[in-house]
Amino acid sequence: GKAGLPDWSVMVFVNGKNDLAALGETDVNEMEAYGSTEKVSVVAELGLMKKGVKRYFIRKDDGNPQITSPAARDLGSPDMGDWKHLADFALWAKAAYPARRYLLVIWNHGSGWATSKGISYDYETGNHISTPELRQAMEKIGKVDILAMDACLMQMAEVDYEVRNFADYIVASEETEPGYGYPYDGLLATLN
């Protein structure tokens, strides 16, 4: 049963293996400004250009500019542009930090249905998750309550159509969005 579980597990896939690396670290620090609580577990996978990929259970750190949460996993440098890796992260997070509801955030550049059509660009491998591959990832991950894309241009009918069966709500931007992305401290405060 779901008794005794947190209300939410917030799973944030932060692909900073590109020119957004510094902003990825900033956003994980924003998550630490609020941290996980009894109600809301926050887990993040952070990949950085030439610095590898780690998974974190986010703990509150009172504004330290460095990431202070202990790494739950050091993964070396997997391809964050591979849809199977996104699915692996979300399935791990769901298993390790079960909750009544799940919010999955995919953080990176996005191009929706335009040009190279996709999200989660990994500059080290030259790979990204195409819009049809996003559906494959969600088929493997299974249902989430909210699928959010902290990336540009993903709020398109074509993208929503692919993932429509796997989330009750889809949160994304039809426009380009600022590099700083979501205000994670405020988002977590609101969820709590």
Side-chain angles (χ1 to χ4, degrees), residues 17-78:
K17 290 176 72 186
N18 48 53
D19 53 354
L20 298 173
L23 295 164
E25 289 186 287
T26 300
D27 274 352
V28 173
N29 268 313
E30 263 180 20
M31 294 169 210
E32 289 184 331
Y34 199 89
S36 296
T37 63
E38 286 181 6
K39 286 185 176 175
V40 180
S41 298
V42 187
V43 278
E45 175 168 314
L46 174 62
L48 298 171
M49 201 72 180
K50 308 274 183 258
K51 289 187 186 168
V53 180
K54 291 181 177 156
R55 290 180 181 165
Y56 298 93
F57 177 71
I58 301 294
R59 298 182 192 284
K60 185 174 171 66
D61 76 355
D62 299 317
N64 185 315
Q66 302 303 313
I67 293 170
T68 57
S69 298
R73 295 270 165 92
D74 185 336
L75 303 175
S77 199

Side-chain angles (χ1 to χ4, degrees), residues 7 17 21 25 28 35 49 53 72 77 90 94 100-101 119 121-122 130-131 143 147 155 161 172 178 184:
D7 291 338
K17 290 176 72 186
E25 289 186 287
V28 173
M49 201 72 180
V53 180
S77 199
K94 278 175 131 179
R100 292 189 178 92
R101 297 188 185 90
I119 195 167
Y121 292 77
D122 184 324
S130 72
T131 303
K143 185 85 186 308
L147 172 62
Q155 190 69 290
Y161 185 81
Y184 285 93

Side-chain angles (χ1 to χ4, degrees), residues 88-155:
D88 180 73
F89 162 68
L91 288 168
W92 168 80
K94 278 175 131 179
Y97 303 99
R100 292 189 178 92
R101 297 188 185 90
Y102 296 96
L103 163 55
L104 174 61
V105 183
I106 305 170
W107 181 107
N108 184 251
H109 286 300
S111 60
W113 198 244
T115 55
S116 57
K117 301 187 177 62
I119 195 167
S120 196
Y121 292 77
D122 184 324
Y123 288 11
E124 285 179 14
T125 62
N127 200 6
H128 72 276
I129 298 170
S130 72
T131 303
E133 286 172 343
L134 182 60
R135 185 196 72 240
Q136 288 178 273
M138 294 310 298
E139 281 171 352
K140 201 164 179 188
I141 292 163
K143 185 85 186 308
V144 296
D145 296 84
I146 303 173
L147 172 62
M149 289 169 278
D150 193 356
C152 297
L153 306 173
M154 293 303 289
Q155 190 69 290

